[in-house]
Structures are given as structure tokens and as C-alpha cells.
Amino acid sequence: MSALAPTLQSFFTERLVRQRHVSPHTIAAYRDTFRLLFGYAERRLGRQPCALDFADLDAALIGGFLDHLERERGNSARTRNMRLAAIHSLYRFAAHRHPEHAELIQRVLAIPPKRFDRALVTFLDEDEIGALLAAPDRSSWTGRRDHALLLVAIQTGLRASELIGLNCGDLHLENGAAHLNCHGKGRKQRITPLTAVTVAVLRTWLDERAGRTDEPLFPTIRGRRLSRDALERRLSKHTGIAAAHCPSLRPKQITPHTLRHTAAMRLLHAGVDTTVIALWLGHERIDTTQIYLHADLALKEKAIARTTPPDTPPGR
């Protein structure tokens, strides 16, 4: 039996699950990476995945796989780098178990991530926020649910997984400062305060929802937890309705992450320091929050207004 199969199994069961306690989303992403890699290797080498060894998955084959992702599957450079990070993680794990493959492993680990252009973040202004919040039909149960969900997303900046993962018991609206508990990326728990308007909407929704503390805060009609696809479909529907009253929404591609960017930009416009915004959003590093400074033209205009223009006459 090759050394690859038991190493891969130990990587998932020991390294990812037992030692690092990674989320199910990370495990699924890593699983899909190696499923694609082994399928590519099988087509290239004519061997079943169970017969592959480390010598088969050398730097040349890994490089060809990464090119295949971009050219044939149409993946972005960001997705390519995510797949490469999963492969690097496996090979770093294998380096301690199979020193006989040290040279091959080092060559794979030397494959660099691909640089790519970072687009400016998309966010909503106050008029667009108002139009989006007015889009759900609050005469229906799903409309009232969607209105509360969108308001929480825009005010708190939760990720899509965090938003649909909220339970009724995660809300604390009665004693002390109103807030919600969030189990975020990297199994980190954080507390996000809620405004008076959001608290009023959530109180009304909780009374109608009448769910147990361990039940989803924003369920489907059948009481199940909303999926990410369902969340995106609901947001797309309401965006289309809002765009009829707010034309500036039409050219924008609105996703759940756009609402997260909107929450960050509202905090930035309110004068909140970027370190606090990073804590608010649950960013691992402070430099991740700097993207909002680059995207905010209003702040740049305020900064240039405070400077003294050079005293030079115009040309002819």
C-alpha cells in the first residue's frame, strides 16, 4: 500500500479534526480539493486514486493541476490559491511522517500562490439600504423574517454562515446592553451589540418565531435552518425589488458579503477605528480591514479637504 493513503486519512482525522478542530466548511473545502486533484492525476497517469503515491504527485503534476483549475475549470486565482493552500497543508503534515520524500515535498511547498488584482469592495449607501430593507413584504411570515434577517446582517456585519447559524438563544435583548453571540470563523466566539431599532424588530420577530433557544433564529417555513443558497436567493429577490425604486442598485452585484462590507463602511463613516472594526467583524488580522479604507472615497475627499493646496497658477 502506498504511503499517501494512510497519510491523507491521518491528515483529516488527526491533524484537521483532532488537533486543529477546524470547521466542517474547511473540511469540506479540503476534501473537494483532493477529490479534484486525484481525478486530475487519474486522467494524467491512468491510475486509480487508491494506487497513487507521493512520487506521482510531484511539483510538476501539482503545477499542471493548478493550471487546469484556471484554464479548463475557469477558477479564479483566489480559488487556485485556496486549493494550493490545502495541498501545502497536507505536504507540511507529511514532511514529519515521511522524510524519505523530503525533496519532493519541499518542491511542492515551494510552489508560490498566484498574485491577483484585488477589486474594490462593493457596499450600499443609506438610500440603497433603505430600499433593500423596504423590499420584503412584511404582510407575510417570510417577509417579516427576511426583513429581520437583512437588518441584522447590515447592522452586525455577520458572515453568511454566521447569520444562518444563529439560534434564538444567541440573542440577549433584556438584561444590560442588547447583543448577540456569534460562533464565527475559526471557532471563535464574539459578541456584537445591537441598536435600538434592531432590538425592536428582533423582539417582535422572536415573539412571532416562538422558538426554543436551540432552534434557528431565521428558519425556513418548515422550521429547518436556512441554507446559504436559500439566503442568496432571498437576497437576490429583494435586491431586484429594491432596484425598481433605487436605480443605483441595478449595476451592483449584491451578495451576503456585500451586507458585511456595508456594516464595515457604516462603522468607518461613523469614525470608528479600524482596530475596533476588525474586532467587530472577527478579522484574524488588522490588515484585512484596510480594504475598507481603500474603498472609501468620502474619507479620501475629507482628507484632501484638510490639506493646503499647492499655490501654483494654471496653465494657458
Side-chain angles (χ1 to χ4, degrees), residues 28-166:
Y30 278 40
R31 175 205 63 199
D32 293 342
T33 295
F34 294 113
R35 180 182 294 170
L36 291 171
L37 174 60
F38 294 155
Y40 173 80
E42 182 179 7
R43 293 190 297 273
R44 280 284 304 272
L45 305 176
R47 297 183 187 177
Q48 294 290 327
C50 59
L52 294 173
D53 203 348
F54 281 106
D56 300 317
L57 304 181
D58 57 8
L61 187 134
I62 299 296
F65 168 67
L66 297 175
D67 291 338
H68 160 75
L69 292 178
E70 288 191 277
R71 295 175 183 175
E72 299 181 32
R73 291 184 60 86
N75 292 156
S76 65
R78 190 186 299 270
T79 301
R80 172 197 184 276
N81 292 344
M82 182 190 71
R83 302 299 186 196
L84 178 60
I87 295 170
H88 279 174
S89 184
L90 170 66
Y91 275 66
R92 281 192 294 267
F93 176 77
H96 298 281
R97 291 175 167 253
H98 299 287
E100 67 275 16
H101 296 298
E103 183 180 0
L104 181 148
I105 291 173
Q106 187 172 3
R107 289 181 181 275
V108 172
L109 292 177
I111 299 175
K114 189 171 186 177
R115 301 184 66 178
F116 56 92
D117 295 332
R118 295 182 180 271
L120 293 177
V121 297
T122 302
F123 61 94
L124 308 181
D125 60 29
E126 294 301 322
D127 291 337
E128 294 167 343
I129 291 172
L132 183 60
L133 291 177
D137 179 12
R138 277 178 270 180
S139 64
S140 67
W141 183 89
T142 54
R144 292 188 292 275
R145 178 203 64 191
D146 292 352
H147 175 259
L149 185 151
L150 292 174
L151 181 60
V152 169
I154 291 170
Q155 197 252 288
T156 62
L158 296 183
R159 298 178 177 92
S161 59
E162 298 167 348
L163 192 63
I164 61 181
L166 287 174

Side-chain angles (χ1 to χ4, degrees), residues 29 114 172 174 181-182 208 240 293 297 306:
K114 189 171 186 177
H172 301 272
E174 302 302 332
N181 286 332
C182 165
E208 182 177 5
L293 291 174
L297 182 60
R306 297 192 188 102

